[in-house]
Structures are given as C-alpha cells and as structure tokens.
Amino acid sequence: QSDLTWEKVVVPIASKLEAWIDSSFAKTGRVPVVGDTAGFVHKLDQISTRNGTAFKGTCTTRLYDFGQPKQMKRLMALQLDTEADQTSDYSINCYVHATEKLAGEATKHGPFPFRVDGTGPTFIDLDIVGRYFSFRFETVDKNETFSIFGFNAYYELREMFGT
C-alpha cells in the first residue's frame, strides 16, 4: 500500500491478510516495515519512497566511555571495517557525537566522508574531546547497501571529569 501512513494502522499489520505492492502475506508472516519522515509506511525491501527518492540508511551506536567513565578523552581517529555490496565507488557519512554528561546535549561533529569500497583510507582523522562518544553512519544519497563489521576508536586519556 503506497499510501499507508502510521495513523491508518489501527490493528497490527500481521493480524490479517494484506496486499502490499502486488504481493500478499499470511496472518502469521512477519513483514519488516520502515517509516519515512512524511509518516508513510514502506515494506523494508522497497528500494524507494513513494516519491521515488532512495531511502537514506542510518546506524547510530550506543554511547561509549571506552572503560574510563570518569576521564575525558581526546578522540584522534576512527578506523572502520566495512564492505560495500557493489563495485562502484561509494561513500558514507560518519558523524561523531561527543558529550561530557550522560544527560547532557551531545555535540555533533561531521560529516566525515568514508569510502566503503576499499579504495580510500581506512581511518578517519579526528580531534574531538569528550567523555562519552557515539557514532552515526549514514548513506549519502544512493540506494546502495553496505556493511559495517566493526570499528576501532583511537583516543588518549585526558584529565578526570570535573577537575
């Protein structure tokens, strides 16, 4: 259903037989769905939104204190282990969110472009100070998939927080 919005979902989607983009699924079948910023619901294997634009893929990590919650850190580099599912040149944007307090507002740094096809550097050079860090990875504007298998954060310990 290309005109389905979250407001129109009044019963669980899997509770009845539904037609969706020329296919159907059983009551017991699971259908992964995703919403867009306009409030429309799309089946996850669709490749574009209802206006034809590619979905933007994002992944945001949890907050990391790198085992030293009381110390400030200077994040100097981020090394990504990635793989692109195609052979064309392809970059993602990386953002670093840094904060001194768990309940505080995080400062967003970036975007830092990173090539996931293996043709560029494996490091992103940084100079960001904080106590807690999270990382966000997102597609730029292409409908291409990629995998992030892990990352290494290179940092140095600074002063104790609050001193």
Side-chain angles (χ1 to χ4, degrees):
Q1 295 181 5
S2 62
D3 62 346
L4 181 64
T5 62
W6 289 115
E7 290 80 24
K8 293 180 183 176
V9 179
V10 293
V11 297
I13 292 174
S15 68
K16 56 185 177 164
L17 187 64
E18 286 283 340
W20 199 314
I21 312 298
D22 298 327
S23 64
S24 62
F25 54 91
K27 288 182 181 181
T28 58
R30 295 179 186 258
V31 179
V33 295
V34 64
D36 64 18
T37 55
F40 289 96
V41 181
H42 306 277
K43 201 166 90 170
L44 199 54
D45 64 357
Q46 288 178 243
I47 60 171
S48 61
T49 64
R50 59 192 305 269
N51 68 1
T53 59
F55 285 117
K56 179 177 268 192
T58 62
C59 173
T60 304
T61 70
R62 65 177 178 85
L63 281 174
Y64 291 95
D65 64 15
F66 307 125
Q68 301 286 334
K70 294 183 180 182
Q71 286 199 256
M72 298 293 288
K73 295 123 192 125
R74 178 177 168 230
L75 184 62
M76 298 179 293
L78 188 65
Q79 179 184 25
L80 299 177
D81 181 12
T82 63
E83 178 180 284
D85 294 337
Q86 66 284 327
T87 57
S88 63
D89 64 344
Y90 184 52
S91 294
I92 59 172
N93 281 333
C94 301
Y95 296 87
V96 178
H97 299 252
T99 184
E100 294 180 4
K101 299 178 182 178
L102 284 174
E105 182 77 19
T107 302
K108 180 179 176 181
H109 302 270
F112 304 103
F114 182 82
R115 296 189 58 128
V116 295
D117 60 5
T119 62
T122 59
F123 285 89
I124 299 170
D125 288 321
L126 303 166
D127 189 7
I128 301 170
V129 175
R131 195 166 133 210
Y132 302 99
F133 299 91
S134 69
F135 306 98
R136 180 179 176 92
F137 310 103
E138 66 181 36
T139 58
V140 178
D141 61 357
K142 296 184 178 182
N143 182 25
E144 296 178 342
T145 57
F146 65 93
S147 300
I148 298 177
F149 301 106
F151 60 89
N152 293 312
Y154 294 89
Y155 63 94
E156 63 182 18
L157 294 175
R158 305 280 300 254
E159 69 277 1
M160 296 290 281
F161 178 71
T163 60

